[in-house]
Amino acid sequence: MKRAARHSPVLLIPAVLLALTISLLRWVVLADGLPAQTRLGALAFAAALCLLAGIGSLGWLLSWRRGETPRFGMALPPWALILLAYGLPLVLLLLPEWAIFLSRPAASGWKSLLGAAGLSAGQPWLFLWQAIVLAGYRLTTLFSANARQKPPPETWTIVFSLLAGLGLWLVSVYVFGLLTAQLSILSTGSLTPPLPPLLAIPFGLAAVLLAPWAEESFWRAELFQRWVKPMGVYGSSLTTAALFAALQFRPLLFLPAFLLGLGLALLTYHTQRLYPAVLAHMLFNALMLLLGWNRVL
């Protein structure tokens, strides 16, 4: 009991998350004139915070009951984390479209079943949910991991990582141009609506800073390394890249995302470090935002 009391300050983390969640929900409910997109984004953010607080608190409780040093966070199998970060928000987003199709299949058609309109409108929230869940889960397990001391980043590695990100982006631009036939997609209405100014800045920061670190921590540092032994380097690279691209839920960007995932996997393997892939991914996402790819379905 004394040991649990000594480590109880760790419980302040979920308590702070809970307080932030309650404050956010109160603001969303009481604020006047908020756009529907802003309310949806705030509720998704609050739901993600509750999810992460629950995972962290459950890990603390289980380790305490086993007689171990209480730790905030618990390890989840990859399939469970993929379902939480990618599957759950997709199902909830498309559930209304599916309900319409089941009630009126003749009138709604297959487009409603697939949820094209709902998926397009919900792309920013899918992306933010994925980034928050993956980054938060990484933080909940960071303190319990046996971190090894690694040498500081070298200048040549940083430069090489940025050049790799630029190269992957240029290849993706070429492939994307071939797929869309002179980028006609940008004038056919297949774009998600622009974000309100209140959320444009947080979305940009999450896309450039949070998402690359969160996604690389899972896809390259965990899943790729776990599958290297049974599949080999190239098998693991191809599999994780294909799964990473498919879970972006953007048909036109599947091939560019696949090339990005493949390049980042090989970059992680050959450098034996994660930060080169994170830096390359950051540059790729920043250029993607400048080009407007974040709005392409």
Side-chain angles (χ1 to χ4, degrees):
M1 185 62 68
K2 291 182 178 179
R3 181 174 58 184
R6 186 168 61 250
H7 293 278
S8 59
V10 179
L11 290 178
L12 289 175
I13 299 177
V16 171
L17 289 177
L18 181 60
L20 289 174
T21 302
I22 294 175
S23 301
L24 180 61
L25 289 176
R26 187 174 185 274
W27 172 72
V28 169
V29 171
L30 298 180
D32 295 328
L34 281 180
Q37 287 186 337
T38 303
R39 293 181 184 273
L40 179 61
L43 291 174
F45 183 73
L49 286 181
C50 291
L51 175 66
L52 297 174
I55 292 175
S57 301
L58 183 58
W60 190 95
L61 178 63
L62 292 177
S63 60
W64 175 73
R65 293 196 64 177
R66 289 194 297 262
E68 302 171 356
T69 301
R71 300 182 184 276
F72 180 71
M74 59 182 298
L76 292 177
W79 63 266
L81 189 56
I82 288 176
L83 287 179
L84 289 175
Y86 295 91
L88 180 61
L90 180 66
V91 170
L92 294 178
L93 182 67
L94 298 184
L95 194 58
E97 299 290 336
W98 294 342
I100 294 174
F101 176 82
L102 292 176
S103 61
R104 294 178 298 172
S108 55
W110 286 101
K111 185 177 181 180
S112 178
L113 176 63
L114 297 175
L119 182 59
S120 175
Q123 279 290 0
W125 315 124
L126 284 173
F127 180 79
L128 287 175
W129 176 280
Q130 295 160 11
I132 292 172
V133 170
L134 291 178
Y137 177 74
R138 175 59 177 166
L139 289 175
T140 65
T141 58
L142 194 60
F143 303 106
S144 60
N146 295 323
R148 295 181 300 174
Q149 293 293 332
K150 294 184 178 180
E154 300 175 353
T155 303
W156 72 269
T157 309
I158 295 176
V159 174
F160 175 76
S161 304
L162 295 176
L163 289 176
L166 178 61
L168 289 170
W169 180 77
L170 291 174
V171 172
S172 298
V173 168
Y174 177 74
V175 172
F176 184 73
L178 294 179
L179 290 175
T180 56
Q182 299 179 352
L183 301 181
S184 60
I185 187 65
L186 297 179
S187 59
T188 58
S190 297
L191 297 177
T192 61
L195 287 174
L198 184 63
L199 292 177
I201 294 178
F203 178 82
L205 292 176
V208 177
L209 300 178
L210 181 65
W213 173 75
E215 291 178 339
E216 295 311 307
S217 296
F218 173 69
W219 289 104
R220 258 57 72 175
E222 184 172 339
L223 202 58
F224 169 74
Q225 300 294 343
R226 181 176 299 196
W227 288 352
V228 161
K229 187 173 182 180
M231 296 184 179
V233 176
Y234 295 107
S236 180
S237 301
L238 292 171
T239 304
T240 54
L243 190 57
F244 169 76
L247 291 176
Q248 303 302 312
F249 306 119
R250 296 178 181 181
L252 285 173
L253 296 184
F254 173 85
L255 191 53
F258 172 78
L259 295 174
L260 173 66
L262 183 62
L264 295 179
L266 295 176
L267 183 63
T268 302
Y269 175 76
H270 287 294
T271 60
Q272 292 298 304
R273 297 180 183 180
L274 183 63
Y275 77 84
V278 174
L279 289 176
H281 200 157
M282 284 181 175
L283 181 60
F284 187 96
N285 280 7
L287 295 173
M288 182 186 74
L289 288 177
L290 293 176
L291 193 63
W293 285 10
N294 61 298
R295 298 180 57 206
V296 176
L297 181 60

